[in-house]
Amino acid sequence: MSHIKRRQFLQFSGSALATLGISQWDIMQQGDRYNQVLAQNTPRKLALLVGINEYSNGIPALSGCVNDVLMQQELLTYRYGFNRQDILTLTDKQATRENILTAFAEHLIKQAKPGDVVVFHFSGHGSQVQDPDRDSPDGLNSTLVPIDGHLPLGHPFAGGPVEHIMGHTLFLLMSALQTENVTFVLDCCHSGGGTRGIFRVRSIDGGSLLEPSPTELDYQRQWLGKLGMSPQDFIRKRRENIAKGVAIASARREQLALDFPFGDFSAGAFTYLFTQYLWQRAANEPVSRAMLSVRQSTNSLAWQRGIIQNPQLETNLTPENANAPVYFISQRTQPAEAVITQVQGNRVQLWLGGLDLGSLEAFSNNPYLIALDANGNQRGLVKLESRQGLVGQGTLQTTTRQGTGLEPGTILQERIRSIPDNLTLQIGIDNSLDNQTAQQARQALQKIPRIQPQPVREQQLQYIFGRMTRDRYQQLQKQRVSDLPEVGTFGLFLPSLEEILPQSFGKAQETVTEAVQRLQPKLGSLLAARIVKQMLGNTNSSQINITASLNLAEDQKLISQTFTTRGAITKNTQPTNQPVPVSVVNNHVGIPQLPVGIEVTFAVENRENRPLYVTILVIDAAGNMNVVFPFDWGVIESATIIQPMQKRVIPQSDDGFKLTIGEPFGISEVLILASTTPLRTALQTLEKIAVTRGLEKTRSPISVNDEILDLTNNLLNDLDAATRGEINVEGIALPAGVRGIDTQRLAAMAIAFEVVS
């Protein structure tokens, strides 16, 4: 990933607990026993975690910052062995400027000795104030906004001094730590502010009108005296680099950090993906490698919702720490979706910090997880009976001889996912519509099965139905959004309202009711695509060993690759699985850019000792779906098979067709499904489609736009039948109203790319 320029981070640095269904008292009690076993006495591990939602006095409130603190707290406790009493949290009203600075000095600086580990995390608003030393061309220094960092007269444009914590101050605090093993994680930003569609931005506009308070500048002078650092040395050192260790920022200085709604709770988009990634790691890797992956996933999450958010990393490491792992802590453990935090008889409480965000809804309908010991041996099977946020309640179903007495800290891996039959598409009604038009849109959308119209507020929405206004047209034009529709037309926006769904807008004279009727087939396609992309995706948890890649057809150079990490671990193989940069393909926000007209191929390698039945789907930026594999409609079932330890390139030179990148512009996704059993009813549906189009004797990809929902339902039914047929002998019982997906029998992976001109 690209590091921050040296001065850039200096500009940056230079009760939601109930929302997640757990009390702080519960956390403290349940962590004690596990901490005694896992935590190491040396080096000591200290953390200060700050999260602020309840801003006031002209500063917009946030929703996910306290949850960020909880996510970090559980990760540090159960993944990295921190003693709970060494993790100090300051949330909401506790997080005053004085309390944050005092806690940093007393809890971190006074206690940390050379070789100890220190973590500082801040989630909340950021801003900017005038920089007396003008370290950057704009003359501004970025700040952290404490709960009492009130704006002058309640408004940033009033101007004047503010009680914020400057990046310059953070540099001094970092310098004062006696250890080099320091990590700062800042999930806030310093430009924009306000809302973007359903998202709250973690920043306050201020800029050149805001000034550092005299108290803040005096505090810096005090630390200069304690450190024996002259003002000239202070300026020189902070312009060269961060003080020490690792600094992670959730976005570039000019970008937005999102407060993200994840269904029934909110969190920082970056913090969620960062902590979720670390739950899934099985072994140490350098922090730079980890941040490359987290940057790509954050980019993808934000970009597909119309926002650009690029997490940044800067390091100032000693030679012995050159390849330091995350938090400077070496650890080797099993990847996990969850951890047991409380045990009472056969009842267990779980922390679900390792769940992929797309599959959260599949963990609300009695899924099953495997309990593992430190060596990866199965100790029992846990049924998740309820979930609120990332806290689950479940029961221990079966145990092995080693499975008696499961304790807090036992990790859990996904076994059976349960996908609701009635999964819906949440469509927001744009607030800019007048009351009558909004009501007409709501009534028309309510008539479409499994489409739920919702007001636009901070909640999970897949798209927003609205009108292209002149102001919005001009805004999108400035952002160089391509193929803009006419002003006055109705269509679908991405949840940020800063991008449109291609091919979703009609003509200017169209009524709102006619627009919804026109969109009905597309909404069905979008619902089906959501089911396949989000609910089936199990790249992290699948036990099947398979690798897939997207390549340039001309010379087979690799563009992007995906693989089932856990499948490779299970089969004791070490695939060359890291994406390889390809110079002829541009890369934007971590997603390959492919120009229209370029030819590509897919390569799928079955690393199992059994055949796999493979399907490859491509969903373009407009929600249209094409089946790329299988493509031999005369022998469709056998055409899906990839034999054991075999690699299949699609298409090959004698297949009679080529795969050429075409419009619409925007993000497309390749979905690779591999099953241990044939998906017969789904294949029969495809075969019928081919017959109706006269393609039964051809070899070619096929579009399934009109039949996409039926195909998806048949696909889920096939997977459910295979799952239920096998798990009955294991004593696993799935309820009615869900389709079960077994990680031992399905791999569902995705590769994203952007189509450009």
Side-chain angles (χ1 to χ4, degrees):
M1 63 174 286
S2 62
H3 288 8
I4 305 174
K5 294 179 181 178
R6 288 184 176 179
R7 284 202 302 262
Q8 189 170 345
F9 181 79
L10 301 177
Q11 298 301 319
F12 192 98
S13 66
S15 195
L17 291 180
T19 303
L20 287 179
I22 190 170
S23 71
Q24 188 153 8
W25 177 249
D26 287 335
I27 294 171
M28 294 173 64
Q29 281 191 316
Q30 297 306 318
D32 285 346
R33 180 183 173 192
Y34 179 65
N35 288 332
Q36 293 171 7
V37 176
L38 183 63
Q40 303 175 14
N41 291 325
T42 55
R44 192 174 184 184
K45 305 166 188 175
L46 299 164
L48 173 59
L49 313 178
V50 181
I52 308 170
N53 289 334
E54 297 177 358
Y55 287 100
S56 60
N57 293 326
I59 302 179
L62 296 170
S63 301
C65 298
V66 178
N67 289 342
D68 287 2
V69 166
L70 186 54
M71 286 188 290
Q72 277 279 24
Q73 184 174 238
E74 299 300 270
L75 177 81
L76 295 177
T77 300
Y78 291 109
R79 204 64 170 169
Y80 287 94
F82 280 63
N83 279 309
R84 189 72 90 182
Q85 59 266 31
D86 287 333
I87 302 175
L88 178 60
T89 66
L90 296 177
T91 58
D92 288 333
K93 290 181 174 58
Q94 300 171 331
T96 63
R97 176 185 175 277
E98 182 178 356
N99 284 352
I100 294 171
L101 296 177
T102 299
F104 200 108
E106 297 294 324
H107 185 65
L108 300 181
I109 294 174
K110 282 192 176 181
Q111 295 196 90
K113 295 178 173 54
D116 286 350
V117 168
V118 167
V119 175
F120 173 69
H121 179 106
F122 177 87
S123 285
H125 279 303
S127 190
Q128 293 175 318
V129 296
Q130 297 174 23
D131 178 5
D133 301 319
R134 299 189 65 86
D135 283 355
S136 64
D138 62 10
L140 301 176
N141 186 228
S142 295
T143 65
L144 308 183
V145 182
I147 190 71
D148 56 347
H150 307 316
L151 298 171
L153 301 178
H155 195 283
F157 302 113
V162 288
E163 296 290 341
H164 295 179
I165 299 173
M166 296 176 65
H168 295 351
T169 301
L170 292 182
F171 183 94
L172 292 168
L173 294 174
M174 184 183 271
S175 300
L177 292 162
Q178 295 185 54
T179 178
E180 299 292 325
N181 302 330
V182 180
T183 303
F184 276 28
V185 182
L186 306 179
D187 197 342
C188 56
C189 60
H190 310 280
S191 65
T195 59
R196 301 293 189 277
I198 66 172
F199 306 114
R200 178 75 66 179
V201 178
R202 294 183 171 185
S203 70
I204 302 168
D205 270 333
S208 59
L209 295 175
L210 300 183
E211 305 167 8
S213 69
T215 306
E216 179 76 356
L217 296 177
D218 183 62
Y219 186 78
Q220 293 175 14
R221 286 190 288 269
Q222 292 177 37
W223 272 110
L224 286 175
K226 294 176 184 178
L227 294 170
M229 188 185 301
S230 70
Q232 294 75 25
D233 284 342
F234 180 33
I235 294 173
R236 177 182 57 80
K237 288 181 178 181
R238 69 177 188 246
R239 289 180 178 178
E240 289 177 350
N241 206 339
I242 62 171
K244 60 179 65 176
V246 169
I248 299 170
S250 65
R252 292 176 62 90
R253 186 173 183 239
E254 74 279 5
Q255 293 174 349
L256 309 179
L258 299 182
D259 215 34
F260 201 99
F262 292 103
D264 62 345
F265 71 101
S266 294
F270 168 75
T271 298
Y272 185 96
L273 293 171
F274 179 60
T275 56
Q276 188 264 344
Y277 177 85
L278 296 177
W279 278 104
Q280 291 293 340
R281 294 308 92 195
N284 298 316
E285 62 180 344
V287 64
S288 58
R289 174 72 62 82
M291 281 302 300
L292 173 63
S293 297
V294 176
R295 179 175 185 262
Q296 290 175 339
S297 60
T298 307
N299 285 336
S300 180
L301 174 68
W303 183 251
Q304 294 184 56
R305 288 153 180 84
I307 298 288
I308 297 177
Q309 181 175 345
N310 300 313
Q312 301 292 299
L313 168 71
E314 179 150 13
T315 62
N316 185 0
L317 301 173
T318 60
E320 58 270 25
N321 276 340
N323 293 310
V326 178
Y327 300 132
F328 298 89
I329 297 174
S330 296
Q331 53 98 24
R332 181 173 292 273
T333 184
Q334 298 295 317
E337 275 70 58
V339 63
I340 294 176
T341 59
Q342 183 175 351
V343 179
Q344 187 173 3
N346 71 334
R347 299 282 302 170
V348 293
Q349 181 169 281
L350 313 178
W351 177 255
L352 299 159
L355 289 185
D356 180 85
L357 67 91
S359 62
L360 282 171
E361 288 175 87
F363 284 82
S364 301
N365 295 277
N366 299 305
Y368 287 80
L369 302 106
I370 300 169
L372 300 177
D373 64 17
N375 297 317
N377 299 313
Q378 184 169 337
R379 298 185 61 192
L381 195 67
V382 173
K383 179 182 179 182
L384 178 64
E385 296 177 333
S386 65
R387 176 182 65 82
Q388 183 180 5
L390 294 178
V391 174
Q393 306 294 333
T395 57
L396 180 63
Q397 300 291 293
T398 61
T399 62
T400 62
R401 180 176 300 177
Q402 297 81 19
T404 57
L406 295 182
E407 65 276 348
T410 301
I411 66 168
L412 303 169
Q413 292 183 347
E414 176 188 351
R415 171 64 197 281
I416 306 293
R417 184 176 298 187
S418 56
I419 299 177
D421 282 348
N422 59 348
L423 194 70
T424 62
L425 198 69
Q426 307 285 325
I427 304 295
I429 306 296
D430 190 5
N431 294 331
S432 67
L433 297 178
D434 61 72
N435 290 338
Q436 182 179 357
T437 304
Q439 181 63 19
Q440 290 172 343
R442 186 176 299 105
Q443 291 173 350
L445 287 167
Q446 286 173 338
K447 295 178 181 178
I448 304 175
R450 298 173 67 179
I451 302 299
Q452 290 190 352
Q454 303 283 357
V456 175
R457 54 175 182 258
E458 292 179 49
Q459 62 177 331
Q460 192 173 39
L461 297 173
Q462 280 73 56
Y463 301 93
I464 296 174
F465 176 85
R467 190 199 306 268
M468 179 61 68
T469 63
R470 185 165 299 281
D471 287 346
R472 192 163 286 161
Y473 183 95
Q474 292 173 348
Q475 180 184 359
L476 294 173
Q477 197 174 40
K478 290 179 182 178
Q479 295 170 204
R480 298 183 178 180
V481 176
S482 59
D483 296 328
L484 284 176
E486 296 179 64
V487 172
T489 55
F490 291 104
L492 297 174
F493 294 86
L494 299 190
S496 67
L497 288 171
E498 297 196 353
E499 291 278 353
I500 61 172
L501 182 73
Q503 302 176 0
S504 68
F505 283 78
K507 298 179 180 179
Q509 65 270 25
E510 187 179 49
T511 68
V512 64
T513 303
E514 291 170 342
V516 172
Q517 291 173 344
R518 172 180 54 80
L519 286 170
Q520 183 167 348
K522 181 172 287 293
L523 292 171
S525 297
L526 295 172
L527 172 60
R530 179 181 179 231
I531 294 171
V532 176
K533 286 195 299 184
Q534 296 185 352
M535 302 304 289
L536 289 184
N538 66 356
T539 305
N540 286 327
S541 60
S542 174
Q543 300 287 339
I544 294 176
N545 193 5
I546 185 171
T547 299
S549 64
L550 173 64
N551 312 289
L552 292 175
E554 182 179 8
D555 50 16
Q556 292 302 300
K557 281 189 176 179
L558 181 65
I559 298 171
S560 188
Q561 186 180 49
T562 185
F563 62 96
T564 51
T565 310
R566 205 164 294 173
I569 294 172
T570 302
K571 304 302 185 300
N572 296 315
T573 60
Q574 297 296 326
T576 55
N577 49 40
Q578 291 301 325
V580 178
V582 182
S583 59
V584 295
V585 177
N586 292 326
N587 190 291
H588 180 57
V589 294
I591 300 174
Q593 290 183 312
L594 301 181
V596 170
I598 196 171
E599 292 182 14
V600 298
T601 64
F602 301 106
V604 181
E605 185 174 358
N606 176 7
R607 300 187 176 213
E608 293 280 329
N609 58 7
R610 53 185 171 175
L612 294 176
Y613 297 83
V614 175
T615 301
I616 301 178
L617 310 171
V618 178
I619 302 176
D620 67 23
N624 304 314
M625 183 183 288
N626 291 277
V627 179
V628 173
F629 186 81
F631 52 78
D632 196 338
W633 307 110
V635 288
I636 187 168
E637 182 172 318
S638 61
T640 67
I641 297 176
I642 297 182
Q643 297 296 338
M645 309 306 294
Q646 295 295 310
K647 182 177 181 179
R648 178 71 182 269
V649 177
I650 304 158
Q652 300 181 81
S653 58
D654 59 352
D655 284 334
F657 68 93
K658 297 179 179 180
L659 294 176
T660 304
I661 299 298
E663 296 186 27
F665 300 121
I667 301 295
S668 294
E669 285 192 272
V670 183
L671 306 174
I672 304 99
L673 308 179
S675 173
T676 58
T677 56
L679 307 174
R680 289 196 170 94
T681 57
L683 293 176
Q684 288 169 3
T685 299
L686 286 174
E687 196 169 24
K688 289 177 182 178
I689 296 171
V691 169
T692 60
R693 300 181 188 178
L695 300 174
E696 66 271 22
K697 295 182 180 180
T698 66
R699 308 178 86 204
S700 67
I702 189 171
S703 172
V704 292
N705 295 331
D706 295 336
E707 306 88 350
I708 184 173
L709 200 52
D710 287 340
L711 174 63
T712 302
N713 283 328
N714 286 330
L715 177 65
L716 290 177
N717 288 336
D718 284 332
L719 295 171
D720 180 63
T723 297
R724 291 177 187 268
E726 295 290 339
I727 63 177
N728 286 339
V729 299
E730 302 179 59
I732 300 175
L734 284 173
V738 301
R739 265 79 70 91
I741 307 299
D742 192 339
T743 60
Q744 296 182 2
R745 294 170 178 83
L746 174 73
M749 307 176 293
I751 296 174
F753 61 91
E754 183 183 6
V755 178
V756 297
S757 59

